[in-house]
Coordinates of all heavy atoms in Angstrom, one line a residue:
M1 N 0.8 -1.2 0.0 CA 0.0 0.0 0.0 C 0.9 1.2 0.0 O 1.9 1.4 0.8 CB -0.9 0.0 1.3 CG -1.7 1.3 1.3 SD -3.0 1.2 2.6 CE -2.2 0.8 4.0
V2 N 0.6 2.2 -0.8 CA 1.4 3.4 -1.0 C 0.8 4.4 0.0 O -0.4 4.7 0.0 CB 1.3 4.0 -2.4 CG1 2.1 5.3 -2.5 CG2 1.9 2.9 -3.4
P3 N 1.6 5.0 0.9 CA 1.0 6.0 1.9 C 0.6 7.3 1.3 O -0.2 8.0 1.9 CB 2.2 6.2 2.9 CG 3.4 5.8 2.1 CD 3.0 4.8 1.1
F4 N 1.1 7.7 0.1 CA 0.7 8.9 -0.4 C 0.3 8.8 -1.9 O 0.9 8.0 -2.6 CB 1.9 10.0 -0.4 CG 2.3 10.4 0.9 CD1 3.3 9.8 1.6 CD2 1.5 11.4 1.6 CE1 3.7 10.2 2.9 CE2 1.9 11.8 2.9 CZ 2.9 11.2 3.5
E5 N -0.7 9.5 -2.3 CA -1.1 9.5 -3.7 C -0.6 10.8 -4.3 O -0.6 11.8 -3.6 CB -2.6 9.5 -3.8 CG -3.3 8.2 -3.3 CD -4.8 8.3 -3.4 OE1 -5.3 9.4 -3.8 OE2 -5.4 7.3 -3.1
T6 N 0.1 10.7 -5.5 CA 0.6 11.9 -6.0 C -0.3 12.4 -7.1 O -0.9 11.7 -7.9 CB 2.0 11.7 -6.6 OG1 1.9 10.6 -7.6 CG2 3.0 11.3 -5.5
E7 N -0.5 13.7 -7.1 CA -1.3 14.4 -8.1 C -0.6 15.6 -8.6 O 0.3 16.1 -7.9 CB -2.6 14.9 -7.5 CG -3.5 13.8 -6.9 CD -4.7 14.4 -6.2 OE1 -4.9 15.6 -6.2 OE2 -5.5 13.6 -5.7
L8 N -0.9 16.1 -9.8 CA -0.3 17.3 -10.3 C -1.0 18.4 -9.7 O -2.2 18.4 -9.4 CB -0.4 17.3 -11.8 CG 0.5 16.3 -12.5 CD1 0.3 16.5 -14.1 CD2 2.0 16.6 -12.2
A9 N -0.3 19.5 -9.4 CA -0.9 20.7 -8.9 C -1.7 21.4 -10.0 O -1.7 21.0 -11.1 CB 0.3 21.7 -8.5
S10 N -2.5 22.4 -9.6 CA -3.4 23.0 -10.5 C -2.6 23.6 -11.7 O -3.2 23.8 -12.8 CB -4.2 24.1 -9.8 OG -3.3 25.1 -9.2
T11 N -1.4 24.0 -11.5 CA -0.6 24.5 -12.6 C -0.1 23.4 -13.5 O 0.3 23.6 -14.7 CB 0.6 25.3 -12.1 OG1 1.4 24.3 -11.4 CG2 0.3 26.4 -11.2
G12 N -0.1 22.2 -13.1 CA 0.2 21.0 -13.9 C 1.7 20.8 -13.9 O 2.2 19.9 -14.6
T13 N 2.5 21.5 -13.0 CA 3.9 21.3 -13.1 C 4.5 20.6 -11.8 O 5.3 19.6 -12.0 CB 4.7 22.6 -13.2 OG1 4.2 23.5 -12.1 CG2 4.3 23.3 -14.5
A14 N 4.1 20.9 -10.7 CA 4.7 20.3 -9.4 C 3.8 19.3 -8.9 O 2.6 19.5 -8.7 CB 4.9 21.5 -8.4
P15 N 4.4 18.1 -8.5 CA 3.5 17.1 -7.9 C 3.2 17.4 -6.4 O 4.0 18.1 -5.7 CB 4.4 15.8 -8.0 CG 5.8 16.3 -8.1 CD 5.7 17.6 -8.8
V16 N 2.0 17.1 -6.0 CA 1.6 17.4 -4.6 C 1.2 16.1 -4.0 O 0.5 15.3 -4.5 CB 0.4 18.3 -4.6 CG1 -0.1 18.5 -3.2 CG2 0.6 19.6 -5.2
A17 N 1.8 15.8 -2.8 CA 1.5 14.5 -2.2 C 0.5 14.7 -1.1 O 0.6 15.6 -0.3 CB 2.8 14.0 -1.5
E18 N -0.6 13.9 -1.1 CA -1.7 14.0 -0.2 C -1.8 12.7 0.5 O -1.8 11.6 -0.2 CB -3.0 14.5 -0.8 CG -2.9 15.8 -1.4 CD -4.2 16.2 -2.1 OE1 -5.2 15.5 -1.9 OE2 -4.3 17.3 -2.6
P19 N -2.0 12.6 1.8 CA -2.1 11.3 2.5 C -3.5 10.7 2.1 O -4.5 11.4 1.9 CB -2.1 11.6 3.9 CG -2.3 13.1 4.0 CD -1.9 13.7 2.7
T20 N -3.5 9.4 2.0 CA -4.8 8.7 1.6 C -5.6 8.6 2.9 O -5.0 8.7 4.0 CB -4.5 7.2 1.2 OG1 -3.8 6.6 2.2 CG2 -3.6 7.3 -0.1
T21 N -6.9 8.5 2.8 CA -7.7 8.5 4.0 C -7.5 7.2 4.8 O -7.6 7.3 6.0 CB -9.2 8.5 3.6 OG1 -9.4 8.2 2.2 CG2 -9.8 9.9 3.8
S22 N -7.2 6.1 4.2 CA -7.0 4.9 5.0 C -5.8 5.0 5.9 O -5.8 4.5 7.1 CB -6.9 3.7 4.1 OG -5.8 3.8 3.3
T23 N -4.8 5.6 5.4 CA -3.5 5.9 6.2 C -3.8 6.8 7.3 O -3.4 6.6 8.5 CB -2.4 6.4 5.4 OG1 -2.2 5.5 4.3 CG2 -1.1 6.5 6.2
T24 N -4.5 7.9 7.1 CA -4.8 8.9 8.1 C -5.7 8.2 9.1 O -5.5 8.4 10.4 CB -5.6 10.1 7.5 OG1 -4.8 10.6 6.4 CG2 -5.8 11.2 8.5
T25 N -6.7 7.4 8.7 CA -7.6 6.7 9.7 C -6.8 5.7 10.6 O -7.0 5.7 11.8 CB -8.7 6.0 9.0 OG1 -9.4 7.0 8.1 CG2 -9.7 5.5 9.9
A26 N -5.9 5.0 9.9 CA -5.0 4.0 10.6 C -4.2 4.7 11.7 O -4.1 4.2 12.8 CB -4.2 3.3 9.7
R27 N -3.6 5.8 11.3 CA -2.8 6.6 12.3 C -3.6 7.1 13.4 O -3.1 7.0 14.5 CB -2.1 7.8 11.6 CG -0.9 7.4 10.7 CD -0.3 8.6 10.2 NE 0.7 8.2 9.2 CZ 1.2 9.0 8.2 NH1 0.7 10.2 8.1 NH2 2.1 8.6 7.4
R28 N -4.8 7.6 13.2 CA -5.7 8.2 14.2 C -6.0 7.0 15.2 O -6.0 7.2 16.3 CB -6.9 8.8 13.6 CG -7.7 9.6 14.7 CD -8.8 10.3 14.1 NE -8.5 11.2 12.9 CZ -9.1 11.1 11.8 NH1 -10.1 10.3 11.6 NH2 -8.8 11.8 10.8
S29 N -6.4 5.9 14.6 CA -6.9 4.8 15.5 C -5.7 4.2 16.3 O -5.8 3.9 17.5 CB -7.5 3.7 14.6 OG -6.6 3.0 13.8
M30 N -4.5 4.2 15.6 CA -3.3 3.8 16.4 C -3.0 4.8 17.6 O -2.7 4.3 18.7 CB -2.1 3.7 15.5 CG -0.9 3.2 16.2 SD 0.5 3.0 15.0 CE 0.7 1.3 15.0
R31 N -3.1 6.1 17.3 CA -2.9 7.1 18.3 C -3.9 6.9 19.4 O -3.6 7.0 20.6 CB -3.0 8.4 17.7 CG -2.6 9.6 18.6 CD -2.6 10.9 17.9 NE -1.7 11.0 16.9 CZ -2.1 11.5 15.7 NH1 -3.3 12.0 15.4 NH2 -1.3 11.5 14.6
E32 N -5.2 6.7 19.1 CA -6.2 6.5 20.1 C -5.9 5.3 21.0 O -6.1 5.3 22.2 CB -7.6 6.4 19.4 CG -8.1 7.7 18.9 CD -9.3 7.5 18.0 OE1 -9.8 6.4 17.8 OE2 -9.9 8.5 17.6
Q33 N -5.4 4.2 20.3 CA -5.1 3.0 21.1 C -4.0 3.3 22.1 O -4.0 2.8 23.2 CB -4.7 1.8 20.2 CG -5.9 1.3 19.4 CD -5.4 0.2 18.4 OE1 -4.2 0.0 18.2 NE2 -6.4 -0.3 17.6
M34 N -2.9 4.0 21.6 CA -1.8 4.3 22.5 C -2.3 5.2 23.6 O -1.9 5.0 24.8 CB -0.7 5.1 21.7 CG 0.0 4.2 20.7 SD 0.8 2.8 21.4 CE 2.1 3.7 22.3
V35 N -3.2 6.1 23.4 CA -3.7 7.0 24.5 C -4.5 6.1 25.5 O -4.4 6.3 26.7 CB -4.6 8.1 23.9 CG1 -5.4 8.8 25.0 CG2 -3.7 9.1 23.2
D36 N -5.2 5.2 25.0 CA -6.1 4.3 25.8 C -5.2 3.5 26.7 O -5.5 3.2 27.9 CB -6.9 3.4 25.0 CG -8.1 4.2 24.4 OD1 -8.4 5.3 24.8 OD2 -8.7 3.6 23.4
V37 N -3.9 3.1 26.2 CA -3.1 2.2 27.0 C -2.3 3.1 28.0 O -2.1 2.7 29.1 CB -2.1 1.5 26.0 CG1 -0.9 0.9 26.8 CG2 -2.8 0.4 25.2
I38 N -1.8 4.3 27.6 CA -1.0 5.1 28.4 C -1.7 5.8 29.5 O -1.2 6.0 30.6 CB -0.2 6.1 27.5 CG1 0.8 5.3 26.7 CG2 0.5 7.1 28.4 CD1 1.6 6.2 25.7
D39 N -3.0 6.2 29.2 CA -3.8 7.0 30.2 C -3.9 6.3 31.6 O -3.6 7.0 32.6 CB -5.1 7.3 29.6 CG -5.8 8.4 30.4 OD1 -5.2 9.4 30.8 OD2 -7.0 8.3 30.5
P40 N -4.2 5.1 31.7 CA -4.3 4.5 33.1 C -2.9 4.4 33.7 O -2.9 4.6 34.9 CB -4.9 3.1 32.8 CG -5.4 3.1 31.5 CD -4.8 4.2 30.7
L41 N -1.9 4.2 32.9 CA -0.6 4.1 33.5 C -0.1 5.5 34.1 O 0.5 5.6 35.1 CB 0.4 3.6 32.5 CG 0.3 2.2 32.0 CD1 1.2 1.9 30.9 CD2 0.5 1.2 33.2
Q42 N -0.5 6.6 33.3 CA -0.2 7.9 33.8 C -0.9 8.2 35.0 O -0.4 8.9 36.0 CB -0.5 8.9 32.7 CG -0.1 10.3 33.0 CD -0.4 11.3 31.9 OE1 -0.9 10.9 30.8 NE2 0.0 12.5 32.1
K43 N -2.1 7.8 35.1 CA -2.9 8.1 36.3 C -2.3 7.3 37.5 O -2.2 7.9 38.6 CB -4.4 7.7 36.1 CG -5.2 8.7 35.2 CD -6.6 8.2 35.1 CE -7.3 9.3 34.1 NZ -8.6 8.8 33.8
Q44 N -1.9 6.1 37.3 CA -1.3 5.3 38.4 C 0.1 6.1 38.8 O 0.3 6.1 40.0 CB -0.9 3.9 37.9 CG -2.0 2.9 38.0 CD -1.6 1.5 37.6 OE1 -0.7 1.4 36.7 NE2 -2.2 0.5 38.2
L45 N 0.8 6.5 37.9 CA 2.1 7.2 38.2 C 1.8 8.5 39.0 O 2.5 8.7 39.9 CB 2.8 7.4 36.9 CG 4.2 8.2 37.0 CD1 5.1 7.4 37.9 CD2 4.7 8.5 35.7
D46 N 0.8 9.2 38.5 CA 0.5 10.5 39.3 C 0.1 10.1 40.8 O 0.5 10.8 41.6 CB -0.6 11.2 38.6 CG -0.2 11.8 37.3 OD1 1.0 12.0 37.1 OD2 -1.1 12.2 36.4
A47 N -0.7 9.1 40.9 CA -1.2 8.7 42.2 C 0.1 8.3 43.1 O 0.1 8.7 44.3 CB -2.2 7.6 42.2
K48 N 0.9 7.5 42.5 CA 2.1 7.0 43.3 C 3.0 8.2 43.6 O 3.5 8.3 44.8 CB 2.9 6.0 42.5 CG 4.0 5.3 43.2 CD 3.5 4.7 44.5 CE 3.0 3.3 44.2 NZ 2.7 2.5 45.4
L49 N 3.2 9.2 42.7 CA 4.0 10.3 43.0 C 3.4 11.2 44.1 O 4.1 11.7 44.9 CB 4.2 11.2 41.7 CG 5.2 10.7 40.7 CD1 5.2 11.5 39.4 CD2 6.6 10.5 41.3
H50 N 2.1 11.4 44.1 CA 1.4 12.1 45.1 C 1.6 11.4 46.5 O 1.9 12.1 47.5 CB 0.0 12.2 44.8 CG -0.8 13.0 45.8 ND1 -0.7 14.4 45.9 CD2 -1.7 12.7 46.7 CE1 -1.5 14.8 46.9 NE2 -2.1 13.8 47.4
E51 N 1.5 10.1 46.5 CA 1.7 9.3 47.7 C 3.1 9.5 48.2 O 3.3 9.7 49.5 CB 1.4 7.9 47.5 CG 1.6 6.9 48.6 CD 1.4 5.5 48.3 OE1 0.6 5.2 47.4 OE2 2.1 4.7 48.9
L52 N 4.1 9.4 47.3 CA 5.5 9.5 47.8 C 5.8 10.9 48.3 O 6.5 11.1 49.3 CB 6.4 9.2 46.6 CG 6.6 7.7 46.3 CD1 7.4 7.6 45.0 CD2 7.3 7.0 47.4
D53 N 5.2 11.9 47.7 CA 5.4 13.3 48.0 C 4.8 13.5 49.5 O 5.5 14.2 50.3 CB 4.7 14.3 47.2 CG 4.9 15.7 47.5 OD1 6.1 16.1 47.6 OD2 3.9 16.5 47.4
E54 N 3.7 12.9 49.8 CA 3.1 13.0 51.1 C 3.9 12.3 52.2 O 3.9 12.8 53.3 CB 1.6 12.6 51.1 CG 0.6 13.5 50.4 CD -0.8 12.9 50.5 OE1 -0.9 11.7 50.9 OE2 -1.7 13.7 50.1
T55 N 4.5 11.2 51.8 CA 5.2 10.4 52.9 C 6.7 10.9 53.0 O 7.2 10.9 54.1 CB 5.2 8.9 52.6 OG1 5.8 8.7 51.3 CG2 3.8 8.4 52.6
L56 N 7.3 11.2 51.9 CA 8.8 11.6 52.0 C 9.1 13.0 52.4 O 10.0 13.3 53.0 CB 9.4 11.3 50.7 CG 9.6 9.8 50.3 CD1 10.3 9.6 49.0 CD2 10.4 9.1 51.4
R57 N 8.2 13.9 52.0 CA 8.4 15.4 52.2 C 8.6 15.6 53.7 O 9.6 16.3 54.1 CB 7.3 16.2 51.7 CG 7.6 17.7 51.8 CD 6.6 18.5 51.2 NE 6.4 18.3 49.8 CZ 7.1 19.0 48.8 NH1 7.9 19.9 49.2 NH2 7.0 18.7 47.5
P58 N 7.8 15.1 54.6 CA 8.0 15.4 56.0 C 9.3 14.8 56.6 O 10.0 15.4 57.4 CB 6.8 14.7 56.8 CG 5.7 14.6 55.7 CD 6.5 14.5 54.4
R59 N 9.7 13.6 56.1 CA 10.9 13.0 56.5 C 12.1 13.8 56.0 O 13.2 13.7 56.7 CB 10.9 11.6 56.0 CG 9.9 10.6 56.7 CD 9.9 9.3 56.1 NE 11.3 8.7 56.1 CZ 11.5 7.5 55.5 NH1 10.6 6.9 54.8 NH2 12.7 7.0 55.5
L60 N 12.0 14.4 54.9 CA 13.1 15.2 54.4 C 13.2 16.6 55.0 O 14.3 17.2 55.2 CB 13.1 15.3 52.8 CG 13.3 14.0 52.0 CD1 13.0 14.2 50.6 CD2 14.7 13.4 52.3
E61 N 12.1 17.2 55.3 CA 12.0 18.5 55.9 C 12.5 18.5 57.3 O 13.0 19.5 57.8 CB 10.6 19.1 55.8 CG 10.2 19.5 54.4 CD 8.8 20.0 54.3 OE1 8.0 19.9 55.2 OE2 8.5 20.6 53.2
Q62 N 12.2 17.5 58.1 CA 12.5 17.5 59.5 C 14.0 17.7 59.8 O 14.2 18.6 60.6 CB 12.0 16.1 60.1 CG 12.1 16.1 61.6 CD 11.2 17.1 62.3 OE1 10.1 17.4 61.7 NE2 11.6 17.6 63.4
P63 N 14.9 17.0 59.2 CA 16.3 17.3 59.5 C 16.7 18.7 59.1 O 17.6 19.3 59.8 CB 17.1 16.2 58.7 CG 16.1 15.2 58.4 CD 14.8 15.8 58.4
V64 N 16.2 19.2 58.0 CA 16.6 20.5 57.6 C 16.1 21.6 58.6 O 16.8 22.5 58.9 CB 16.0 20.8 56.2 CG1 16.3 22.3 55.7 CG2 16.7 19.8 55.2
K65 N 14.9 21.4 59.1 CA 14.3 22.3 60.1 C 15.1 22.3 61.4 O 15.3 23.3 62.1 CB 12.9 22.0 60.4 CG 12.0 22.4 59.3 CD 10.5 22.1 59.6 CE 9.6 22.5 58.5 NZ 8.2 22.1 58.7
E66 N 15.6 21.1 61.8 CA 16.3 20.9 63.0 C 17.7 21.5 62.9 O 18.3 22.1 63.9 CB 16.4 19.4 63.4 CG 15.1 18.8 63.9 CD 15.2 17.4 64.2 OE1 16.2 16.7 64.0 OE2 14.1 16.8 64.5
K67 N 18.4 21.3 61.8 CA 19.8 21.7 61.6 C 20.0 22.4 60.3 O 20.5 21.8 59.3 CB 20.7 20.5 61.7 CG 20.7 19.8 63.0 CD 21.6 18.6 63.0 CE 21.4 17.8 64.3 NZ 22.2 16.6 64.3
P68 N 19.5 23.6 60.1 CA 19.5 24.3 58.9 C 21.0 24.7 58.4 O 21.3 24.5 57.2 CB 18.8 25.6 59.1 CG 18.8 25.8 60.6 CD 18.8 24.5 61.2
L69 N 21.9 25.0 59.3 CA 23.3 25.3 58.9 C 23.9 24.0 58.3 O 24.7 24.1 57.4 CB 24.1 25.8 60.0 CG 23.7 27.2 60.5 CD1 24.5 27.7 61.7 CD2 23.8 28.2 59.4
L70 N 23.7 22.9 58.9 CA 24.3 21.6 58.4 C 23.8 21.3 57.0 O 24.5 20.9 56.1 CB 24.0 20.5 59.4 CG 24.5 19.1 58.9 CD1 26.1 19.1 58.9 CD2 24.0 18.0 59.9
A71 N 22.4 21.5 56.8 CA 21.8 21.3 55.5 C 22.5 22.2 54.4 O 22.8 21.8 53.3 CB 20.3 21.5 55.5
V72 N 22.7 23.5 54.8 CA 23.3 24.4 53.8 C 24.7 24.0 53.6 O 25.2 24.1 52.4 CB 23.3 25.9 54.4 CG1 24.1 26.8 53.5 CG2 21.8 26.3 54.4
A73 N 25.5 23.6 54.6 CA 26.8 23.2 54.4 C 26.9 21.9 53.5 O 27.8 21.8 52.7 CB 27.5 22.9 55.8
V74 N 26.1 21.0 53.7 CA 26.1 19.8 52.9 C 25.8 20.1 51.5 O 26.5 19.6 50.6 CB 25.1 18.7 53.5 CG1 24.9 17.6 52.5 CG2 25.6 18.2 54.8
S75 N 24.7 20.9 51.3 CA 24.4 21.2 49.9 C 25.5 22.0 49.2 O 25.8 21.9 48.0 CB 23.1 22.0 49.8 OG 23.2 23.2 50.5
A76 N 26.2 22.9 49.9 CA 27.3 23.7 49.4 C 28.5 22.7 49.0 O 29.1 22.9 48.0 CB 27.8 24.8 50.4
G77 N 28.7 21.8 49.9 CA 29.8 20.9 49.7 C 29.6 20.0 48.4 O 30.5 19.8 47.6
V78 N 28.3 19.6 48.2 CA 27.9 18.8 47.1 C 28.1 19.7 45.8 O 28.6 19.2 44.8 CB 26.5 18.2 47.2 CG1 26.0 17.7 45.9 CG2 26.5 17.2 48.3
G79 N 27.7 20.9 45.9 CA 27.8 21.8 44.8 C 29.3 22.0 44.4 O 29.6 22.0 43.2
V80 N 30.2 22.2 45.3 CA 31.6 22.4 45.1 C 32.2 21.1 44.5 O 32.9 21.2 43.5 CB 32.3 22.8 46.4 CG1 33.9 22.6 46.2 CG2 32.0 24.2 46.8
L81 N 31.8 20.0 44.9 CA 32.2 18.7 44.4 C 31.8 18.5 42.9 O 32.6 18.2 42.1 CB 31.8 17.5 45.3 CG 32.2 16.1 44.8 CD1 33.7 16.0 44.9 CD2 31.5 15.1 45.6
V82 N 30.5 18.8 42.7 CA 30.0 18.6 41.3 C 30.7 19.6 40.4 O 31.1 19.3 39.2 CB 28.5 18.8 41.3 CG1 28.0 18.9 39.9 CG2 27.8 17.6 42.0
G83 N 30.9 20.8 40.9 CA 31.7 21.9 40.0 C 33.0 21.4 39.8 O 33.5 21.6 38.6
A84 N 33.8 20.9 40.8 CA 35.1 20.5 40.5 C 35.2 19.4 39.5 O 36.1 19.3 38.6 CB 35.8 20.1 41.8
L85 N 34.3 18.4 39.6 CA 34.3 17.3 38.7 C 34.0 17.8 37.3 O 34.6 17.3 36.3 CB 33.3 16.2 39.1 CG 33.6 15.5 40.4 CD1 32.4 14.6 40.7 CD2 34.8 14.7 40.2
T86 N 33.1 18.8 37.2 CA 32.8 19.3 35.9 C 34.0 20.0 35.2 O 34.4 19.8 34.0 CB 31.6 20.3 35.9 OG1 30.5 19.7 36.5 CG2 31.3 20.9 34.6
V87 N 34.7 20.8 36.0 CA 35.9 21.5 35.5 C 36.9 20.5 35.1 O 37.6 20.6 34.0 CB 36.5 22.4 36.6 CG1 37.8 23.0 36.3 CG2 35.5 23.6 36.8
M88 N 37.2 19.4 35.9 CA 38.1 18.4 35.5 C 37.8 17.8 34.3 O 38.6 17.5 33.4 CB 38.3 17.4 36.7 CG 39.0 18.0 37.9 SD 39.0 16.9 39.4 CE 39.4 15.3 38.7
A89 N 36.5 17.5 34.0 CA 36.0 16.8 32.8 C 36.2 17.7 31.6 O 36.7 17.3 30.6 CB 34.6 16.4 32.9
V90 N 35.9 19.0 31.8 CA 36.2 20.0 30.7 C 37.7 20.1 30.3 O 38.0 20.1 29.1 CB 35.6 21.4 31.0 CG1 36.1 22.4 30.1 CG2 34.1 21.3 31.1
L91 N 38.5 20.1 31.4 CA 40.0 20.2 31.1 C 40.5 18.9 30.4 O 41.3 19.0 29.5 CB 40.7 20.5 32.4 CG 40.5 21.9 33.0 CD1 41.3 22.0 34.3 CD2 41.0 22.9 32.1
A92 N 40.0 17.8 30.9 CA 40.4 16.5 30.3 C 40.0 16.4 28.8 O 40.7 16.0 28.0 CB 39.8 15.4 31.0
G93 N 38.8 17.0 28.5 CA 38.3 17.0 27.1 C 39.2 17.9 26.3 O 39.5 17.6 25.1
A94 N 39.5 19.1 26.8 CA 40.3 20.0 26.1 C 41.7 19.4 25.9 O 42.3 19.7 24.8 CB 40.4 21.4 26.8
R95 N 42.3 18.7 26.9 CA 43.6 18.1 26.7 C 43.6 17.0 25.6 O 44.5 17.0 24.9 CB 44.0 17.6 28.1 CG 45.5 17.7 28.3 CD 45.9 17.1 29.7 NE 45.9 18.2 30.6 CZ 45.8 18.1 31.9 NH1 45.6 16.9 32.4 NH2 45.9 19.1 32.7
S96 N 42.5 16.2 25.6 CA 42.5 15.2 24.6 C 42.3 15.7 23.2 O 42.8 15.1 22.2 CB 41.4 14.2 24.9 OG 40.1 14.8 24.8
K97 N 41.6 16.9 23.0 CA 41.5 17.5 21.7 C 42.8 18.1 21.3 O 43.1 18.1 20.0 CB 40.5 18.6 21.8 CG 39.0 18.0 21.8 CD 38.0 19.1 21.7 CE 36.6 18.5 21.8 NZ 35.6 19.6 21.8
A98 N 43.6 18.6 22.2 CA 44.9 19.2 21.8 C 46.0 18.2 21.4 O 46.8 18.5 20.6 CB 45.4 20.0 23.0
E99 N 45.8 16.9 21.8 CA 46.8 15.9 21.4 C 46.5 15.4 20.1 O 46.1 15.4 19.2 CB 46.7 14.8 22.4 CG 47.3 15.2 23.8 CD 47.1 14.1 24.8 OE1 46.5 12.9 24.5 OE2 47.5 14.2 25.9

């Protein structure tokens, strides 16, 4: 089956490709089937994320409320570590290009 039928334009010079109705209908029905399959999974995922948010947020907020300076120090340390690793990776990439 050919997905496009070619016709000449009204000027008679340039071909114009138009999708056939059966192909368009098949694509639409396939899209609808995919939506029907994905929609319940998306709802389950949203419910699970909401449940995790409700249970984990208090457990994560409690230590930060009790020791805010420690939380800031840990996050700053992680930031410095990630930054240093990034700089090292960039320098290693520049060195390998120079060779």
Side-chain angles (χ1 to χ4, degrees):
M1 174 170 55
V2 179
F4 293 100
E5 295 176 359
T6 56
E7 299 176 0
L8 289 179
S10 58
T11 60
T13 57
V16 176
E18 295 181 6
T20 61
T21 18
S22 63
T23 305
T24 306
T25 306
R27 285 184 187 157
R28 188 177 311 127
S29 67
M30 182 180 247
R31 188 176 301 134
E32 289 171 356
Q33 289 174 359
M34 291 298 293
V35 167
D36 291 343
V37 169
I38 291 174
D39 194 39
L41 294 174
Q42 184 177 1
K43 287 179 182 176
Q44 277 182 326
L45 179 63
D46 288 342
K48 188 58 84 174
L49 285 173
H50 183 70
E51 178 186 330
L52 284 173
D53 184 48
E54 287 181 349
T55 58
L56 288 179
R57 185 176 300 269
R59 290 176 54 193
L60 293 173
E61 286 178 349
Q62 187 64 29
V64 173
K65 287 179 181 178
E66 289 175 0
K67 300 177 184 176
L69 291 177
L70 180 63
V72 170
V74 168
S75 62
V78 169
V80 168
L81 180 65
V82 169
L85 291 174
T86 303
V87 168
M88 289 174 41
V90 168
L91 290 177
R95 216 179 263 157
S96 67
K97 286 184 181 179
E99 293 175 356

